[in-house]
């Protein structure tokens, strides 16, 4: 049962990583598994069996959701933007009790509380500013396979890996700003179609794009996870105050990133339902 629940958690993380304005790290925090995943990543070379056992169901869920969403994400963006946005807002709010639990009883002196509030405000504002000034969807780059592009894809993957670890940082938003969101999502979709059709030429092109990008993602995750673990051990209160700012700003970032489209009474009513579904899912999976 726990294995199935962890796959479902992985699905939520994968979905968050592909939706503009949402962070996979936010979903990890919301579901109460942030410390667990960070610890497993950092122990991958020392206790590889236990780490793989911990990470495997999350990885399966992420792959399933990313592969599935690469086919239908444009449809949901175009036809149900408000409902989709509130589904993820519900997921975010459903996990807030977990973060408040981490902060409970750790206020300390007035000076410590003041620094924690300042960090909360700084990181809250950072997410909003990144979304406002970084989400240009008008730029679309072309991926031409050569040595320089392969190196660039490795670096790009390392940068995007931050969104899988740092709450509130949207990798899809960064890809949009750089003009590589549509090309990467289209490449994933085309690769899956080529795999089903045994189209070797298209498969080779997909490998040339996705393997260096994936290597960059894995390398970035390993480096950033070590930094996060260090901060959680040495500055737990300040780190979670910063994380709370990142997570609390995420709903606004979701609305900015996705857009709300035409607001109607049926759309609002369905959005209330999707918010409730997201809240309930996050609350259940964080238990």
């Amino acid at each position: 049962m726990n294995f199935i629940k962890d796959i479902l958690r992985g699905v939520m993380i994968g979905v968050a990583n592909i939706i503009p304005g949402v962070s996979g790290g936010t979903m990890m925090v919301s579901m109460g598994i942030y410390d667990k995943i960070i610890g497993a990543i950092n122990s991958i070379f020392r206790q590889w069996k236990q780490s793989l056992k911990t990470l495997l169901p999350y990885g399966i869920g992420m792959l399933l959701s990313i592969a599935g969403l690469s086919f239908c994400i444009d449809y949901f963006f175009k036809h149900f933007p408000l409902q989709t946005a509130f589904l993820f807002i519900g997921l975010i709010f459903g996990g807030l009790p977990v973060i408040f639990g981490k902060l409970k009883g750790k206020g300390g002196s007035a000076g410590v509380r003041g620094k924690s509030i300042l960090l909360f405000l700084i990181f809250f504002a950072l997410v909003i500013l990144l979304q406002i000034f970084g989400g240009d969807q008008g730029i679309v780059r072309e991926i031409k396979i050569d040595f320089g592009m392969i190196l660039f894809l490795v670096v790009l993957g390392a940068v995007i890996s931050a969104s899988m670890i740092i709450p509130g940082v949207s990798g899809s938003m960064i890809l949009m700003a750089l003009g590589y969101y549509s090309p990467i999502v289209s490449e994933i979709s085309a690769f899956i179609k080529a795999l089903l059709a045994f189209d070797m030429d298209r498969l080779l092109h997909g490998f040339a794009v996705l393997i260096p990008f994936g290597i960059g993602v894995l390398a970035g995750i390993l480096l950033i996870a070590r930094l996060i673990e260090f901060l959680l051990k040495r500055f737990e209160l300040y780190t979670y105050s910063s994380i709370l700012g990142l997570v609390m700003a995420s709903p606004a970032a979701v609305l900015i990133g996705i857009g709300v489209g035409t607001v109607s009474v049926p759309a609002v009513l369905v959005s209330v339902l999707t918010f409730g579904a997201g809240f309930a899912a996050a609350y259940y999976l964080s238990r």
Side-chain angles (χ1 to χ4, degrees), residues 164-239:
M164 300 181 182
I165 299 295
I166 303 175
V169 179
S170 171
S172 51
M173 182 197 71
I174 296 171
L175 283 174
M176 272 188 177
L178 296 174
Y180 285 95
Y181 180 77
S182 293
I184 293 293
V185 171
S186 297
E187 198 64 48
I188 295 172
S189 176
F191 180 81
I192 294 169
K193 289 177 181 177
L195 190 63
L196 295 174
F198 298 102
D199 184 344
M200 289 306 299
D201 289 339
R202 198 67 191 83
L203 279 174
L204 290 174
H205 185 275
F207 279 125
V209 173
L210 298 177
I211 287 180
F213 183 75
I215 290 171
V217 168
L218 291 174
I221 286 174
L222 291 172
L223 292 173
I224 295 169
R226 291 193 177 279
L227 173 62
I228 295 296
E229 186 175 53
F230 170 80
L231 292 174
L232 286 172
K233 285 182 178 178
R234 298 292 184 91
F235 311 102
E236 184 180 15
L237 175 61
Y238 294 146
T239 302

Side-chain angles (χ1 to χ4, degrees), residues 18-91:
I18 205 168
I19 298 293
V22 190
S23 161
T26 300
M27 288 297 102
M28 293 180 201
V29 173
S30 295
M31 292 183 290
I33 55 174
Y34 192 68
D35 297 14
K36 179 181 178 182
I37 290 180
I38 293 293
I41 292 171
N42 287 327
S43 301
I44 195 73
F45 297 114
R46 299 192 306 271
Q47 301 173 335
W48 65 271
K49 287 185 178 179
Q50 183 59 41
S51 293
L52 288 178
K53 183 179 178 182
T54 300
L55 296 173
L56 180 62
Y58 301 123
I60 292 172
M62 287 176 66
L63 288 174
L64 289 174
S65 60
I66 290 173
L69 267 182
S70 65
F71 288 97
C72 61
I73 189 168
D74 286 338
Y75 178 83
F76 284 107
F77 276 169
K78 291 176 182 177
H79 297 283
F80 307 105
L82 187 66
Q83 297 90 327
T84 304
F86 271 89
L87 172 65
F88 285 95
I89 292 171
L91 286 168

Side-chain angles (χ1 to χ4, degrees), residues 20-21 127-129 131-133 135 137 250-260:
V127 172
I128 302 298
L129 291 173
Q131 187 63 54
I132 291 172
F133 296 108
Q137 299 183 46
S250 293
V254 171
L255 291 173
I256 295 169
I258 294 179
V260 297

